[in-house]
Amino acid sequence: MHLSVIGCGYLGAVHAAAMASIGHDVVGIDVDERKIASLSKGEAPFFEPGLPEILSEGIASGRLRFTTDMAEAAGAQVHFVGVGTPQVKGGYAADLTYVDAAIDALLPYLAEGDIVAGKSTVPVGTAATLAERVAPTGATLVWNPEFLREGWAVQDTIDPDRLVAGVPAGPAGERAAEILRKVYHPSVGKGTPFLVTDYATAELVKVSANAFLATKISFINAMAEIAEVTGADVTQLADAIGYDDRIGRKFLGAGIGFGGGCLPKDIRAFSARAEELGRGESVAFLREIDEINMRRRDRAVDLVVEGLSGSVFKKNITVLGAAFKPHSDDIRDSPALDVAVRLHGLGAWVTITDPAAIENARRIHPQLNYVDDRDEALRGADAVIVVTEWDEYRRQLSPEHAATLTQGRIVIDGRNCLDAAAWREAGWTYYGMGRP
Ligand code: NAD
């Protein structure tokens, strides 16, 4: 099938390349010339495992190309829209400027029978409004939310755990769902659940999934706060409650909390939208979820201060990690980077390292000292804080080896990802989050 993908960021670039890899003919369109230039050469403009491979395969096969010219969307049967929906400046709502601009730019190139498939995360009610704008072209709008996880985006796009299509009632909607089934033929063929809903449900599925995940993380972080005043160990607590399969152990890792380009802005936009709908109280708990999450960053900073006997001023602190999570170079709303910046603000000499995110971090926070090599970054540190649980720190850094590089023996495990006993045994003073 001929497809266009409008917006080639973390979601769109992966979607375009993944659709080409399952046999479609795809044009990726973005307003960012640098991104398009890099994608056209088969180079991923961001770190995502497996993306460079499917990009270059797609380009070499002739099934995948990238352009800044929206006119090239003409002729595609399905147009995916995956542009950004960031938090508005000075508020909590989602900024729909990019979605509106992308749809406006696409309208002249739509033909009777085309499908416009919205993938961006939008406030409930958006699709219904956009459908009215698309209707005069004879195209049909569907809402097809995306659930990919950065770091596993290629796999999640090619082989998702479920597919959701929000369609209008009647034959046009049924036909649109049929066409989307064909687009996703390999996963549909192997029995991946394909749920057809109305627009509002599809939009809500995405934001409620993110609200649930954020709640789960903040729940365990709230337990960490209680553990901290009682001497309990939140990791043991999480293990113990996680054995109950109604609860499950996933997403119960206490630490410095969630960040990234999705969860924080999505729960805020959900609160803002619920308030507009007169149902603010229904998701009022999301404010609390957000606050618990932000408090954990304070806690991590406090632990460093405590570890260094009350002051970090003119102390060498090595921060391991900058990305909001491992296997990604995404630093949008990264708790890791936030902690580093706060320590810098308290007068510490902060050295930060990360296997993938240094370039992005340096662009936003040039005041910090960036070092590519992990061991070089550790050299001479008075204290070390792990803030992104990359394998390079979690599994591959032995406490004995680290001790040969640093000045002090103080480690703060902002992700509860280190073997506390092993670090203590090697002579380190270990601080975890919600652990004695
Ligand atoms: P991103 O910022 O990486 O990418 C957005 C892209 O859209 C940019 O490359 C930008 O240049 C482009 N763009 C903006 N206006 C445009 C226009 N008028 N025409 C063409 N291109 C335009 O953002 P992202 O992380 O890819 O997220 C995109 C959407 O997908 C958001 O709504 C996000 O919430 C949602 N989402 C993201 C993820 C994720 O893991 N990143 C997962 C699920 C859903």
Side-chain angles (χ1 to χ4, degrees):
M1 294 169 79
H2 290 276
L3 313 176
S4 80
V5 178
I6 296 145
C8 293
Y10 284 91
L11 184 158
V14 174
H15 196 71
M19 291 300 107
S21 84
I22 60 170
H24 299 300
D25 189 77
V26 185
V27 58
I29 303 172
D30 201 290
V31 289
D32 184 333
E33 288 177 8
R34 276 184 36 202
K35 217 172 257 184
I36 290 301
S38 139
L39 287 164
S40 299
K41 285 188 275 180
E43 288 166 14
F46 48 86
F47 179 88
E48 184 60 51
L51 179 59
E53 291 80 357
I54 58 167
L55 262 183
S56 33
E57 274 166 33
I59 289 168
S61 71
R63 285 198 306 274
L64 178 63
R65 65 206 159 83
F66 292 93
T67 177
T68 54
D69 183 4
M70 188 64 91
E72 301 216 17
Q77 194 179 357
V78 182
H79 308 270
F80 289 100
V81 179
V83 299
T85 49
Q87 191 174 329
V88 288
K89 290 192 173 64
Y92 264 13
D95 181 352
L96 292 176
T97 319
Y98 306 99
V99 173
D100 286 334
I103 295 286
D104 283 342
L106 176 63
L107 285 178
Y109 305 105
L110 291 176
E112 182 81 33
D114 282 6
I115 305 295
V116 178
K119 293 203 77 64
S120 301
T121 303
V122 292
V124 57
T126 306
T129 311
L130 294 177
E132 283 174 25
R133 279 159 58 194
V134 166
T137 66
T140 303
L141 181 86
V142 304
W143 215 262
N144 175 218
E146 178 57 60
F147 305 102
L148 69 82
R149 300 160 299 166
E150 283 176 27
W152 288 269
V154 171
Q155 178 197 317
D156 287 351
T157 305
I158 294 175
D159 189 16
D161 46 19
R162 80 289 210 190
L163 288 151
V164 175
V167 303
E174 283 164 25
R175 178 178 166 275
E178 237 4 83
I179 291 174
L180 264 200
R181 272 200 185 89
K182 277 195 210 154
V183 171
Y184 294 115
H185 63 98
S187 33
V188 172
K190 63 173 251 202
T192 301
F194 186 99
L195 292 98
V196 180
T197 69
D198 54 28
Y199 287 146
T201 306
E203 293 165 317
L204 277 173
V205 166
K206 175 63 195 175
V207 287
S208 60
N210 277 357
F212 189 88
L213 294 173
T215 302
K216 207 169 172 193
I217 298 171
S218 278
F219 171 82
I220 200 66
N221 278 330
M223 296 308 106
E225 291 186 334
I226 302 298
E228 275 151 16
V229 292
T230 53
D233 185 332
V234 76
T235 47
Q236 284 187 321
L237 181 151
D239 289 343
I241 63 173
Y243 283 117
D244 182 334
D245 62 13
R246 294 168 303 175
I247 297 175
R249 182 63 173 84
K250 282 187 185 167
F251 267 59
L252 283 186
I256 57 169
F258 58 81
C262 291
L263 288 195
K265 63 119 176 138
D266 287 351
I267 61 167
R268 291 169 193 162
F270 195 6
S271 299
R273 183 65 183 136
E275 265 159 39
E276 283 170 11
L277 293 166
R279 282 287 179 274
E281 71 274 24
S282 304
V283 292
F285 67 93
L286 289 178
R287 299 280 165 126
E288 205 61 54
I289 296 306
D290 202 359
E291 275 178 33
I292 294 167
N293 191 54
M294 299 308 286
R295 280 205 298 270
R296 300 316 285 161
R297 302 178 186 189
D298 302 338
R299 172 68 182 166
V301 171
D302 289 348
L303 281 178
V304 182
V305 173
E306 193 184 316
L308 289 168
S309 311
S311 171
V312 297
F313 189 69
K314 290 190 175 175
K315 294 282 170 58
N316 286 302
I317 297 171
T318 297
V319 176
L320 297 179
F324 86 98
K325 68 169 189 177
H327 314 291
S328 175
D329 66 353
D330 197 345
I331 52 143
R332 289 177 290 183
D333 206 348
S334 167
L337 208 47
D338 192 18
V339 166
V341 169
R342 290 183 197 204
L343 290 168
H344 174 83
L346 293 174
W349 288 313
V350 173
T351 297
I352 181 161
T353 186
D354 188 284
I358 287 187
E359 233 178 275
N360 285 343
R362 187 186 276 126
R363 210 174 311 124
I364 309 290
H365 294 296
Q367 73 277 27
L368 305 176
N369 178 35
Y370 296 93
V371 174
D372 286 312
D373 184 72
R374 181 199 69 192
D375 285 5
E376 208 43 55
L378 285 168
R379 210 173 290 284
D382 295 306
V384 177
I385 176 164
V386 181
V387 278
T388 313
E389 65 276 38
W390 285 96
D391 274 350
E392 281 81 347
Y393 316 137
R394 193 162 67 114
R395 294 186 199 279
Q396 295 159 18
L397 177 63
S398 83
E400 293 79 13
H401 175 66
T404 65
L405 300 166
T406 57
Q407 179 87 34
R409 303 283 181 276
I410 293 152
V411 64
I412 294 89
D413 186 0
R415 295 291 184 181
N416 286 348
C417 62
L418 303 178
D419 179 343
W423 281 75
R424 287 191 173 122
E425 221 160 277
W428 291 79
T429 305
Y430 170 95
Y431 295 85
M433 302 286 290
R435 310 182 75 181

